[in-house]
Amino acid sequence: MKESIADRAWSRHTRRQRWGRLAGMLLIAGAAAWSLTTIDIIWPWVWDAPNQIGDLFRRMVPPDVSSIGAITWALIETLNIATIATFFAVFLSLPVAYISAQNTTPNRATLWLGRFILVSSRSVNTLIWALLFVAIFGPGVLAGIVAIMFRSLGFLGKLIGEAIEEIDRRPVEALEATGASRAKVILYAIVPQVVPTFFAVSILRWDINLRESTVLGLVGAGGIGVILQGAIDMLDWRTVATILLAIIVLVIAGEALAAWLRKKVI
C-alpha cells in the first residue's frame, strides 16, 4: 500500500543537510584539536591551576586600603583619560563618517580614504596603540589619551557612517530641490536623523573606553593600571585586591551612568 503524506516522519533537515552539518562540526572539532597541538601548554600547570588560584585569593584577603588615596587619584586619572579621549574622538570621527558613507562622500577616492581610516583604527588593539604612543610621547597620560582616541575613531566613524547611509532620502531630496546649499542639506536633513545614533554611540564608546583605560598603565600609558602593575611586580597581593575592587566599582558606576544617559538622550 502506498505511504500517505500523513504517515511520513517530519524532519527539519534533509539527509544531505544532516551529513553536511555533521561534516562541518567534525571539521571544526578537528581544527580545534589541531590548534591545541600547535601551542605549548604545560598540562601539569593547568591541572594545578585551581590550587594556585585558591592560594592567590588567600593572599589577597583582607584587601590593604592603606594606599586608597593613590588608588582614588589613579581612578580619577583613568576617568579623565576615557572622557577626554572620547570627546576628541567623537569630533574627529564626524568628518570620517561623512566621507565613509556612500550617500554623502564626495567621490570614490574620499570613500576609500574614509574606509581605510576606519579599518586602520579598528585593526590595531588599544594596547598596541598605547605602546606606539608611549614610544612617541613617553610614558604618561597623554599617550593613553591619544591611544584611546585613535582606537575609538574607527568604532565611532563606522557606526555613525552606517547611520548616515540608512537615513531617509526624502528630506535630502526635498532640500536639494529647493536649491539649498550642501551645508544646509547636512544641517537640516541629515543631522536631525543621525543625532539619536550619534549620542547613543558616543555614550557607548565612553563606557567601553572607561574599561579599556584601566589597563593602559600596564604599558606605561597612565591610569589605574600603573599602580596595578607595580603592585603585581612587588607581589603585594592585598593591594592588588584593593585595586581590582576599585576597578570593579568604577566600571559598574560607569555602566550605570551610561545607561542613565542613554535613557535621557534617546
mmCIF file with all atom_site columns, all heavy atoms in Angstrom, residues 9-35:
data_model
loop_
_atom_site.group_PDB
_atom_site.id
_atom_site.type_symbol
_atom_site.label_atom_id
_atom_site.label_alt_id
_atom_site.label_comp_id
_atom_site.label_asym_id
_atom_site.label_entity_id
_atom_site.label_seq_id
_atom_site.pdbx_PDB_ins_code
_atom_site.Cartn_x
_atom_site.Cartn_y
_atom_site.Cartn_z
_atom_site.occupancy
_atom_site.B_iso_or_equiv
_atom_site.pdbx_formal_charge
_atom_site.auth_seq_id
_atom_site.auth_comp_id
_atom_site.auth_asym_id
_atom_site.auth_atom_id
_atom_site.pdbx_PDB_model_num
ATOM 1   N N   . ALA A 1 9  ? 7.424  10.756 8.463  1.00 0.00 ? 9  ALA A N   1
ATOM 2   C CA  . ALA A 1 9  ? 8.001  11.438 9.632  1.00 0.00 ? 9  ALA A CA  1
ATOM 3   C C   . ALA A 1 9  ? 8.583  12.774 9.186  1.00 0.00 ? 9  ALA A C   1
ATOM 4   O O   . ALA A 1 9  ? 9.333  12.839 8.208  1.00 0.00 ? 9  ALA A O   1
ATOM 5   C CB  . ALA A 1 9  ? 9.076  10.566 10.272 1.00 0.00 ? 9  ALA A CB  1
ATOM 6   N N   . TRP A 1 10 ? 8.209  13.829 9.921  1.00 0.00 ? 10 TRP A N   1
ATOM 7   C CA  . TRP A 1 10 ? 8.718  15.165 9.568  1.00 0.00 ? 10 TRP A CA  1
ATOM 8   C C   . TRP A 1 10 ? 10.145 15.329 10.045 1.00 0.00 ? 10 TRP A C   1
ATOM 9   O O   . TRP A 1 10 ? 10.513 14.897 11.149 1.00 0.00 ? 10 TRP A O   1
ATOM 10  C CB  . TRP A 1 10 ? 7.845  16.239 10.215 1.00 0.00 ? 10 TRP A CB  1
ATOM 11  C CG  . TRP A 1 10 ? 8.308  17.637 9.894  1.00 0.00 ? 10 TRP A CG  1
ATOM 12  C CD1 . TRP A 1 10 ? 8.000  18.368 8.799  1.00 0.00 ? 10 TRP A CD1 1
ATOM 13  C CD2 . TRP A 1 10 ? 9.170  18.448 10.689 1.00 0.00 ? 10 TRP A CD2 1
ATOM 14  N NE1 . TRP A 1 10 ? 8.622  19.592 8.841  1.00 0.00 ? 10 TRP A NE1 1
ATOM 15  C CE2 . TRP A 1 10 ? 9.350  19.671 9.994  1.00 0.00 ? 10 TRP A CE2 1
ATOM 16  C CE3 . TRP A 1 10 ? 9.821  18.269 11.904 1.00 0.00 ? 10 TRP A CE3 1
ATOM 17  C CZ2 . TRP A 1 10 ? 10.133 20.703 10.492 1.00 0.00 ? 10 TRP A CZ2 1
ATOM 18  C CZ3 . TRP A 1 10 ? 10.607 19.283 12.396 1.00 0.00 ? 10 TRP A CZ3 1
ATOM 19  C CH2 . TRP A 1 10 ? 10.760 20.489 11.694 1.00 0.00 ? 10 TRP A CH2 1
ATOM 20  N N   . SER A 1 11 ? 10.970 15.923 9.251  1.00 0.00 ? 11 SER A N   1
ATOM 21  C CA  . SER A 1 11 ? 12.361 16.193 9.602  1.00 0.00 ? 11 SER A CA  1
ATOM 22  C C   . SER A 1 11 ? 12.708 17.609 9.177  1.00 0.00 ? 11 SER A C   1
ATOM 23  O O   . SER A 1 11 ? 12.362 18.029 8.058  1.00 0.00 ? 11 SER A O   1
ATOM 24  C CB  . SER A 1 11 ? 13.304 15.195 8.919  1.00 0.00 ? 11 SER A CB  1
ATOM 25  O OG  . SER A 1 11 ? 14.654 15.495 9.227  1.00 0.00 ? 11 SER A OG  1
ATOM 26  N N   . ARG A 1 12 ? 13.377 18.327 10.059 1.00 0.00 ? 12 ARG A N   1
ATOM 27  C CA  . ARG A 1 12 ? 13.707 19.721 9.769  1.00 0.00 ? 12 ARG A CA  1
ATOM 28  C C   . ARG A 1 12 ? 14.731 19.831 8.651  1.00 0.00 ? 12 ARG A C   1
ATOM 29  O O   . ARG A 1 12 ? 14.689 20.776 7.855  1.00 0.00 ? 12 ARG A O   1
ATOM 30  C CB  . ARG A 1 12 ? 14.231 20.391 11.037 1.00 0.00 ? 12 ARG A CB  1
ATOM 31  C CG  . ARG A 1 12 ? 14.564 21.847 10.865 1.00 0.00 ? 12 ARG A CG  1
ATOM 32  C CD  . ARG A 1 12 ? 14.965 22.476 12.170 1.00 0.00 ? 12 ARG A CD  1
ATOM 33  N NE  . ARG A 1 12 ? 15.254 23.889 12.022 1.00 0.00 ? 12 ARG A NE  1
ATOM 34  C CZ  . ARG A 1 12 ? 15.637 24.682 13.023 1.00 0.00 ? 12 ARG A CZ  1
ATOM 35  N NH1 . ARG A 1 12 ? 15.750 24.192 14.243 1.00 0.00 ? 12 ARG A NH1 1
ATOM 36  N NH2 . ARG A 1 12 ? 15.883 25.960 12.809 1.00 0.00 ? 12 ARG A NH2 1
ATOM 37  N N   . HIS A 1 13 ? 15.679 18.864 8.594  1.00 0.00 ? 13 HIS A N   1
ATOM 38  C CA  . HIS A 1 13 ? 16.736 18.900 7.589  1.00 0.00 ? 13 HIS A CA  1
ATOM 39  C C   . HIS A 1 13 ? 16.699 17.628 6.752  1.00 0.00 ? 13 HIS A C   1
ATOM 40  O O   . HIS A 1 13 ? 16.326 16.547 7.237  1.00 0.00 ? 13 HIS A O   1
ATOM 41  C CB  . HIS A 1 13 ? 18.115 19.020 8.260  1.00 0.00 ? 13 HIS A CB  1
ATOM 42  C CG  . HIS A 1 13 ? 18.256 20.225 9.135  1.00 0.00 ? 13 HIS A CG  1
ATOM 43  N ND1 . HIS A 1 13 ? 18.397 21.512 8.646  1.00 0.00 ? 13 HIS A ND1 1
ATOM 44  C CD2 . HIS A 1 13 ? 18.270 20.347 10.498 1.00 0.00 ? 13 HIS A CD2 1
ATOM 45  C CE1 . HIS A 1 13 ? 18.506 22.348 9.646  1.00 0.00 ? 13 HIS A CE1 1
ATOM 46  N NE2 . HIS A 1 13 ? 18.423 21.683 10.786 1.00 0.00 ? 13 HIS A NE2 1
ATOM 47  N N   . THR A 1 14 ? 17.114 17.771 5.515  1.00 0.00 ? 14 THR A N   1
ATOM 48  C CA  . THR A 1 14 ? 17.231 16.605 4.650  1.00 0.00 ? 14 THR A CA  1
ATOM 49  C C   . THR A 1 14 ? 18.460 15.784 5.058  1.00 0.00 ? 14 THR A C   1
ATOM 50  O O   . THR A 1 14 ? 19.292 16.229 5.850  1.00 0.00 ? 14 THR A O   1
ATOM 51  C CB  . THR A 1 14 ? 17.367 17.034 3.185  1.00 0.00 ? 14 THR A CB  1
ATOM 52  O OG1 . THR A 1 14 ? 18.595 17.765 3.027  1.00 0.00 ? 14 THR A OG1 1
ATOM 53  C CG2 . THR A 1 14 ? 16.201 17.922 2.772  1.00 0.00 ? 14 THR A CG2 1
ATOM 54  N N   . ARG A 1 15 ? 18.530 14.579 4.503  1.00 0.00 ? 15 ARG A N   1
ATOM 55  C CA  . ARG A 1 15 ? 19.678 13.723 4.840  1.00 0.00 ? 15 ARG A CA  1
ATOM 56  C C   . ARG A 1 15 ? 20.990 14.389 4.417  1.00 0.00 ? 15 ARG A C   1
ATOM 57  O O   . ARG A 1 15 ? 21.978 14.348 5.142  1.00 0.00 ? 15 ARG A O   1
ATOM 58  C CB  . ARG A 1 15 ? 19.521 12.363 4.160  1.00 0.00 ? 15 ARG A CB  1
ATOM 59  C CG  . ARG A 1 15 ? 20.706 11.434 4.403  1.00 0.00 ? 15 ARG A CG  1
ATOM 60  C CD  . ARG A 1 15 ? 20.440 10.062 3.849  1.00 0.00 ? 15 ARG A CD  1
ATOM 61  N NE  . ARG A 1 15 ? 19.321 9.412  4.528  1.00 0.00 ? 15 ARG A NE  1
ATOM 62  C CZ  . ARG A 1 15 ? 18.890 8.176  4.244  1.00 0.00 ? 15 ARG A CZ  1
ATOM 63  N NH1 . ARG A 1 15 ? 19.485 7.483  3.274  1.00 0.00 ? 15 ARG A NH1 1
ATOM 64  N NH2 . ARG A 1 15 ? 17.875 7.664  4.908  1.00 0.00 ? 15 ARG A NH2 1
ATOM 65  N N   . ARG A 1 16 ? 21.005 15.013 3.244  1.00 0.00 ? 16 ARG A N   1
ATOM 66  C CA  . ARG A 1 16 ? 22.211 15.699 2.788  1.00 0.00 ? 16 ARG A CA  1
ATOM 67  C C   . ARG A 1 16 ? 22.586 16.826 3.734  1.00 0.00 ? 16 ARG A C   1
ATOM 68  O O   . ARG A 1 16 ? 23.757 17.022 4.049  1.00 0.00 ? 16 ARG A O   1
ATOM 69  C CB  . ARG A 1 16 ? 21.999 16.242 1.380  1.00 0.00 ? 16 ARG A CB  1
ATOM 70  C CG  . ARG A 1 16 ? 23.149 17.109 0.885  1.00 0.00 ? 16 ARG A CG  1
ATOM 71  C CD  . ARG A 1 16 ? 22.948 17.588 -0.537 1.00 0.00 ? 16 ARG A CD  1
ATOM 72  N NE  . ARG A 1 16 ? 23.060 16.488 -1.480 1.00 0.00 ? 16 ARG A NE  1
ATOM 73  C CZ  . ARG A 1 16 ? 22.983 16.647 -2.809 1.00 0.00 ? 16 ARG A CZ  1
ATOM 74  N NH1 . ARG A 1 16 ? 22.768 17.865 -3.306 1.00 0.00 ? 16 ARG A NH1 1
ATOM 75  N NH2 . ARG A 1 16 ? 23.112 15.615 -3.615 1.00 0.00 ? 16 ARG A NH2 1
ATOM 76  N N   . GLN A 1 17 ? 21.594 17.588 4.199  1.00 0.00 ? 17 GLN A N   1
ATOM 77  C CA  . GLN A 1 17 ? 21.871 18.683 5.138  1.00 0.00 ? 17 GLN A CA  1
ATOM 78  C C   . GLN A 1 17 ? 22.415 18.150 6.457  1.00 0.00 ? 17 GLN A C   1
ATOM 79  O O   . GLN A 1 17 ? 23.327 18.736 7.046  1.00 0.00 ? 17 GLN A O   1
ATOM 80  C CB  . GLN A 1 17 ? 20.599 19.507 5.368  1.00 0.00 ? 17 GLN A CB  1
ATOM 81  C CG  . GLN A 1 17 ? 20.172 20.339 4.175  1.00 0.00 ? 17 GLN A CG  1
ATOM 82  C CD  . GLN A 1 17 ? 18.835 21.009 4.387  1.00 0.00 ? 17 GLN A CD  1
ATOM 83  O OE1 . GLN A 1 17 ? 17.989 20.532 5.151  1.00 0.00 ? 17 GLN A OE1 1
ATOM 84  N NE2 . GLN A 1 17 ? 18.633 22.138 3.716  1.00 0.00 ? 17 GLN A NE2 1
ATOM 85  N N   . ARG A 1 18 ? 21.855 17.028 6.944  1.00 0.00 ? 18 ARG A N   1
ATOM 86  C CA  . ARG A 1 18 ? 22.350 16.464 8.207  1.00 0.00 ? 18 ARG A CA  1
ATOM 87  C C   . ARG A 1 18 ? 23.799 16.013 8.083  1.00 0.00 ? 18 ARG A C   1
ATOM 88  O O   . ARG A 1 18 ? 24.615 16.246 8.971  1.00 0.00 ? 18 ARG A O   1
ATOM 89  C CB  . ARG A 1 18 ? 21.453 15.304 8.647  1.00 0.00 ? 18 ARG A CB  1
ATOM 90  C CG  . ARG A 1 18 ? 20.068 15.730 9.113  1.00 0.00 ? 18 ARG A CG  1
ATOM 91  C CD  . ARG A 1 18 ? 19.400 14.622 9.905  1.00 0.00 ? 18 ARG A CD  1
ATOM 92  N NE  . ARG A 1 18 ? 19.180 13.428 9.095  1.00 0.00 ? 18 ARG A NE  1
ATOM 93  C CZ  . ARG A 1 18 ? 18.083 13.207 8.376  1.00 0.00 ? 18 ARG A CZ  1
ATOM 94  N NH1 . ARG A 1 18 ? 17.107 14.107 8.371  1.00 0.00 ? 18 ARG A NH1 1
ATOM 95  N NH2 . ARG A 1 18 ? 17.948 12.088 7.684  1.00 0.00 ? 18 ARG A NH2 1
ATOM 96  N N   . TRP A 1 19 ? 24.124 15.336 6.965  1.00 0.00 ? 19 TRP A N   1
ATOM 97  C CA  . TRP A 1 19 ? 25.510 14.913 6.766  1.00 0.00 ? 19 TRP A CA  1
ATOM 98  C C   . TRP A 1 19 ? 26.436 16.119 6.597  1.00 0.00 ? 19 TRP A C   1
ATOM 99  O O   . TRP A 1 19 ? 27.580 16.097 7.062  1.00 0.00 ? 19 TRP A O   1
ATOM 100 C CB  . TRP A 1 19 ? 25.601 14.000 5.537  1.00 0.00 ? 19 TRP A CB  1
ATOM 101 C CG  . TRP A 1 19 ? 25.179 12.589 5.822  1.00 0.00 ? 19 TRP A CG  1
ATOM 102 C CD1 . TRP A 1 19 ? 24.034 11.976 5.416  1.00 0.00 ? 19 TRP A CD1 1
ATOM 103 C CD2 . TRP A 1 19 ? 25.908 11.627 6.584  1.00 0.00 ? 19 TRP A CD2 1
ATOM 104 N NE1 . TRP A 1 19 ? 23.968 10.689 5.876  1.00 0.00 ? 19 TRP A NE1 1
ATOM 105 C CE2 . TRP A 1 19 ? 25.129 10.437 6.606  1.00 0.00 ? 19 TRP A CE2 1
ATOM 106 C CE3 . TRP A 1 19 ? 27.112 11.639 7.267  1.00 0.00 ? 19 TRP A CE3 1
ATOM 107 C CZ2 . TRP A 1 19 ? 25.526 9.289  7.258  1.00 0.00 ? 19 TRP A CZ2 1
ATOM 108 C CZ3 . TRP A 1 19 ? 27.516 10.486 7.923  1.00 0.00 ? 19 TRP A CZ3 1
ATOM 109 C CH2 . TRP A 1 19 ? 26.732 9.334  7.915  1.00 0.00 ? 19 TRP A CH2 1
ATOM 110 N N   . GLY A 1 20 ? 25.936 17.152 5.945  1.00 0.00 ? 20 GLY A N   1
ATOM 111 C CA  . GLY A 1 20 ? 26.749 18.365 5.781  1.00 0.00 ? 20 GLY A CA  1
ATOM 112 C C   . GLY A 1 20 ? 27.019 19.049 7.114  1.00 0.00 ? 20 GLY A C   1
ATOM 113 O O   . GLY A 1 20 ? 28.141 19.502 7.377  1.00 0.00 ? 20 GLY A O   1
ATOM 114 N N   . ARG A 1 21 ? 25.996 19.114 7.972  1.00 0.00 ? 21 ARG A N   1
ATOM 115 C CA  . ARG A 1 21 ? 26.188 19.720 9.293  1.00 0.00 ? 21 ARG A CA  1
ATOM 116 C C   . ARG A 1 21 ? 27.133 18.880 10.138 1.00 0.00 ? 21 ARG A C   1
ATOM 117 O O   . ARG A 1 21 ? 27.987 19.415 10.859 1.00 0.00 ? 21 ARG A O   1
ATOM 118 C CB  . ARG A 1 21 ? 24.832 19.856 9.992  1.00 0.00 ? 21 ARG A CB  1
ATOM 119 C CG  . ARG A 1 21 ? 23.933 20.912 9.377  1.00 0.00 ? 21 ARG A CG  1
ATOM 120 C CD  . ARG A 1 21 ? 22.482 20.721 9.800  1.00 0.00 ? 21 ARG A CD  1
ATOM 121 N NE  . ARG A 1 21 ? 22.327 20.908 11.226 1.00 0.00 ? 21 ARG A NE  1
ATOM 122 C CZ  . ARG A 1 21 ? 22.085 22.083 11.820 1.00 0.00 ? 21 ARG A CZ  1
ATOM 123 N NH1 . ARG A 1 21 ? 21.982 23.176 11.063 1.00 0.00 ? 21 ARG A NH1 1
ATOM 124 N NH2 . ARG A 1 21 ? 21.941 22.171 13.122 1.00 0.00 ? 21 ARG A NH2 1
ATOM 125 N N   . LEU A 1 22 ? 27.016 17.541 10.049 1.00 0.00 ? 22 LEU A N   1
ATOM 126 C CA  . LEU A 1 22 ? 27.917 16.669 10.795 1.00 0.00 ? 22 LEU A CA  1
ATOM 127 C C   . LEU A 1 22 ? 29.355 16.838 10.322 1.00 0.00 ? 22 LEU A C   1
ATOM 128 O O   . LEU A 1 22 ? 30.290 16.916 11.138 1.00 0.00 ? 22 LEU A O   1
ATOM 129 C CB  . LEU A 1 22 ? 27.477 15.215 10.646 1.00 0.00 ? 22 LEU A CB  1
ATOM 130 C CG  . LEU A 1 22 ? 28.367 14.165 11.345 1.00 0.00 ? 22 LEU A CG  1
ATOM 131 C CD1 . LEU A 1 22 ? 28.407 14.429 12.855 1.00 0.00 ? 22 LEU A CD1 1
ATOM 132 C CD2 . LEU A 1 22 ? 27.866 12.764 11.040 1.00 0.00 ? 22 LEU A CD2 1
ATOM 133 N N   . ALA A 1 23 ? 29.542 16.931 9.005  1.00 0.00 ? 23 ALA A N   1
ATOM 134 C CA  . ALA A 1 23 ? 30.886 17.125 8.469  1.00 0.00 ? 23 ALA A CA  1
ATOM 135 C C   . ALA A 1 23 ? 31.467 18.468 8.919  1.00 0.00 ? 23 ALA A C   1
ATOM 136 O O   . ALA A 1 23 ? 32.661 18.570 9.247  1.00 0.00 ? 23 ALA A O   1
ATOM 137 C CB  . ALA A 1 23 ? 30.853 17.046 6.943  1.00 0.00 ? 23 ALA A CB  1
ATOM 138 N N   . GLY A 1 24 ? 30.616 19.488 8.959  1.00 0.00 ? 24 GLY A N   1
ATOM 139 C CA  . GLY A 1 24 ? 31.085 20.804 9.419  1.00 0.00 ? 24 GLY A CA  1
ATOM 140 C C   . GLY A 1 24 ? 31.520 20.789 10.872 1.00 0.00 ? 24 GLY A C   1
ATOM 141 O O   . GLY A 1 24 ? 32.559 21.347 11.232 1.00 0.00 ? 24 GLY A O   1
ATOM 142 N N   . MET A 1 25 ? 30.732 20.127 11.721 1.00 0.00 ? 25 MET A N   1
ATOM 143 C CA  . MET A 1 25 ? 31.097 20.044 13.142 1.00 0.00 ? 25 MET A CA  1
ATOM 144 C C   . MET A 1 25 ? 32.368 19.238 13.355 1.00 0.00 ? 25 MET A C   1
ATOM 145 O O   . MET A 1 25 ? 33.215 19.591 14.182 1.00 0.00 ? 25 MET A O   1
ATOM 146 C CB  . MET A 1 25 ? 29.933 19.433 13.938 1.00 0.00 ? 25 MET A CB  1
ATOM 147 C CG  . MET A 1 25 ? 28.738 20.366 14.070 1.00 0.00 ? 25 MET A CG  1
ATOM 148 S SD  . MET A 1 25 ? 27.442 19.739 15.165 1.00 0.00 ? 25 MET A SD  1
ATOM 149 C CE  . MET A 1 25 ? 26.764 18.425 14.133 1.00 0.00 ? 25 MET A CE  1
ATOM 150 N N   . LEU A 1 26 ? 32.526 18.137 12.576 1.00 0.00 ? 26 LEU A N   1
ATOM 151 C CA  . LEU A 1 26 ? 33.756 17.356 12.676 1.00 0.00 ? 26 LEU A CA  1
ATOM 152 C C   . LEU A 1 26 ? 34.962 18.163 12.214 1.00 0.00 ? 26 LEU A C   1
ATOM 153 O O   . LEU A 1 26 ? 36.056 18.060 12.802 1.00 0.00 ? 26 LEU A O   1
ATOM 154 C CB  . LEU A 1 26 ? 33.627 16.074 11.849 1.00 0.00 ? 26 LEU A CB  1
ATOM 155 C CG  . LEU A 1 26 ? 32.648 15.024 12.379 1.00 0.00 ? 26 LEU A CG  1
ATOM 156 C CD1 . LEU A 1 26 ? 32.525 13.863 11.396 1.00 0.00 ? 26 LEU A CD1 1
ATOM 157 C CD2 . LEU A 1 26 ? 33.089 14.522 13.760 1.00 0.00 ? 26 LEU A CD2 1
ATOM 158 N N   . LEU A 1 27 ? 34.767 18.970 11.179 1.00 0.00 ? 27 LEU A N   1
ATOM 159 C CA  . LEU A 1 27 ? 35.855 19.816 10.690 1.00 0.00 ? 27 LEU A CA  1
ATOM 160 C C   . LEU A 1 27 ? 36.264 20.845 11.734 1.00 0.00 ? 27 LEU A C   1
ATOM 161 O O   . LEU A 1 27 ? 37.460 21.073 11.976 1.00 0.00 ? 27 LEU A O   1
ATOM 162 C CB  . LEU A 1 27 ? 35.420 20.516 9.394  1.00 0.00 ? 27 LEU A CB  1
ATOM 163 C CG  . LEU A 1 27 ? 36.475 21.404 8.722  1.00 0.00 ? 27 LEU A CG  1
ATOM 164 C CD1 . LEU A 1 27 ? 37.672 20.577 8.292  1.00 0.00 ? 27 LEU A CD1 1
ATOM 165 C CD2 . LEU A 1 27 ? 35.863 22.136 7.531  1.00 0.00 ? 27 LEU A CD2 1
ATOM 166 N N   . ILE A 1 28 ? 35.283 21.451 12.395 1.00 0.00 ? 28 ILE A N   1
ATOM 167 C CA  . ILE A 1 28 ? 35.579 22.442 13.441 1.00 0.00 ? 28 ILE A CA  1
ATOM 168 C C   . ILE A 1 28 ? 36.277 21.770 14.619 1.00 0.00 ? 28 ILE A C   1
ATOM 169 O O   . ILE A 1 28 ? 37.251 22.299 15.169 1.00 0.00 ? 28 ILE A O   1
ATOM 170 C CB  . ILE A 1 28 ? 34.278 23.130 13.895 1.00 0.00 ? 28 ILE A CB  1
ATOM 171 C CG1 . ILE A 1 28 ? 33.713 23.981 12.760 1.00 0.00 ? 28 ILE A CG1 1
ATOM 172 C CG2 . ILE A 1 28 ? 34.530 23.993 15.132 1.00 0.00 ? 28 ILE A CG2 1
ATOM 173 C CD1 . ILE A 1 28 ? 32.352 24.552 13.052 1.00 0.00 ? 28 ILE A CD1 1
ATOM 174 N N   . ALA A 1 29 ? 35.788 20.580 15.011 1.00 0.00 ? 29 ALA A N   1
ATOM 175 C CA  . ALA A 1 29 ? 36.422 19.864 16.117 1.00 0.00 ? 29 ALA A CA  1
ATOM 176 C C   . ALA A 1 29 ? 37.853 19.485 15.775 1.00 0.00 ? 29 ALA A C   1
ATOM 177 O O   . ALA A 1 29 ? 38.761 19.583 16.607 1.00 0.00 ? 29 ALA A O   1
ATOM 178 C CB  . ALA A 1 29 ? 35.605 18.613 16.463 1.00 0.00 ? 29 ALA A CB  1
ATOM 179 N N   . GLY A 1 30 ? 38.078 19.056 14.534 1.00 0.00 ? 30 GLY A N   1
ATOM 180 C CA  . GLY A 1 30 ? 39.433 18.719 14.118 1.00 0.00 ? 30 GLY A CA  1
ATOM 181 C C   . GLY A 1 30 ? 40.352 19.917 14.112 1.00 0.00 ? 30 GLY A C   1
ATOM 182 O O   . GLY A 1 30 ? 41.518 19.834 14.524 1.00 0.00 ? 30 GLY A O   1
ATOM 183 N N   . ALA A 1 31 ? 39.819 21.068 13.645 1.00 0.00 ? 31 ALA A N   1
ATOM 184 C CA  . ALA A 1 31 ? 40.624 22.289 13.636 1.00 0.00 ? 31 ALA A CA  1
ATOM 185 C C   . ALA A 1 31 ? 40.976 22.728 15.047 1.00 0.00 ? 31 ALA A C   1
ATOM 186 O O   . ALA A 1 31 ? 42.106 23.168 15.321 1.00 0.00 ? 31 ALA A O   1
ATOM 187 C CB  . ALA A 1 31 ? 39.872 23.398 12.898 1.00 0.00 ? 31 ALA A CB  1
ATOM 188 N N   . ALA A 1 32 ? 40.013 22.599 15.975 1.00 0.00 ? 32 ALA A N   1
ATOM 189 C CA  . ALA A 1 32 ? 40.276 22.971 17.373 1.00 0.00 ? 32 ALA A CA  1
ATOM 190 C C   . ALA A 1 32 ? 41.325 22.053 17.993 1.00 0.00 ? 32 ALA A C   1
ATOM 191 O O   . ALA A 1 32 ? 42.229 22.501 18.712 1.00 0.00 ? 32 ALA A O   1
ATOM 192 C CB  . ALA A 1 32 ? 38.983 22.924 18.183 1.00 0.00 ? 32 ALA A CB  1
ATOM 193 N N   . ALA A 1 33 ? 41.200 20.743 17.706 1.00 0.00 ? 33 ALA A N   1
ATOM 194 C CA  . ALA A 1 33 ? 42.181 19.793 18.246 1.00 0.00 ? 33 ALA A CA  1
ATOM 195 C C   . ALA A 1 33 ? 43.570 20.069 17.682 1.00 0.00 ? 33 ALA A C   1
ATOM 196 O O   . ALA A 1 33 ? 44.576 20.015 18.398 1.00 0.00 ? 33 ALA A O   1
ATOM 197 C CB  . ALA A 1 33 ? 41.747 18.359 17.924 1.00 0.00 ? 33 ALA A CB  1
ATOM 198 N N   . TRP A 1 34 ? 43.642 20.352 16.381 1.00 0.00 ? 34 TRP A N   1
ATOM 199 C CA  . TRP A 1 34 ? 44.938 20.675 15.768 1.00 0.00 ? 34 TRP A CA  1
ATOM 200 C C   . TRP A 1 34 ? 45.527 21.945 16.369 1.00 0.00 ? 34 TRP A C   1
ATOM 201 O O   . TRP A 1 34 ? 46.734 22.032 16.601 1.00 0.00 ? 34 TRP A O   1
ATOM 202 C CB  . TRP A 1 34 ? 44.776 20.824 14.270 1.00 0.00 ? 34 TRP A CB  1
ATOM 203 C CG  . TRP A 1 34 ? 46.050 21.266 13.595 1.00 0.00 ? 34 TRP A CG  1
ATOM 204 C CD1 . TRP A 1 34 ? 47.115 20.490 13.253 1.00 0.00 ? 34 TRP A CD1 1
ATOM 205 C CD2 . TRP A 1 34 ? 46.368 22.606 13.201 1.00 0.00 ? 34 TRP A CD2 1
ATOM 206 N NE1 . TRP A 1 34 ? 48.096 21.252 12.667 1.00 0.00 ? 34 TRP A NE1 1
ATOM 207 C CE2 . TRP A 1 34 ? 47.666 22.570 12.626 1.00 0.00 ? 34 TRP A CE2 1
ATOM 208 C CE3 . TRP A 1 34 ? 45.699 23.825 13.281 1.00 0.00 ? 34 TRP A CE3 1
ATOM 209 C CZ2 . TRP A 1 34 ? 48.284 23.701 12.133 1.00 0.00 ? 34 TRP A CZ2 1
ATOM 210 C CZ3 . TRP A 1 34 ? 46.322 24.952 12.783 1.00 0.00 ? 34 TRP A CZ3 1
ATOM 211 C CH2 . TRP A 1 34 ? 47.597 24.885 12.220 1.00 0.00 ? 34 TRP A CH2 1
ATOM 212 N N   . SER A 1 35 ? 44.676 22.951 16.646 1.00 0.00 ? 35 SER A N   1
ATOM 213 C CA  . SER A 1 35 ? 45.160 24.194 17.235 1.00 0.00 ? 35 SER A CA  1
ATOM 214 C C   . SER A 1 35 ? 45.786 23.957 18.602 1.00 0.00 ? 35 SER A C   1
ATOM 215 O O   . SER A 1 35 ? 46.803 24.569 18.951 1.00 0.00 ? 35 SER A O   1
ATOM 216 C CB  . SER A 1 35 ? 44.017 25.208 17.351 1.00 0.00 ? 35 SER A CB  1
ATOM 217 O OG  . SER A 1 35 ? 43.470 25.502 16.087 1.00 0.00 ? 35 SER A OG  1
#
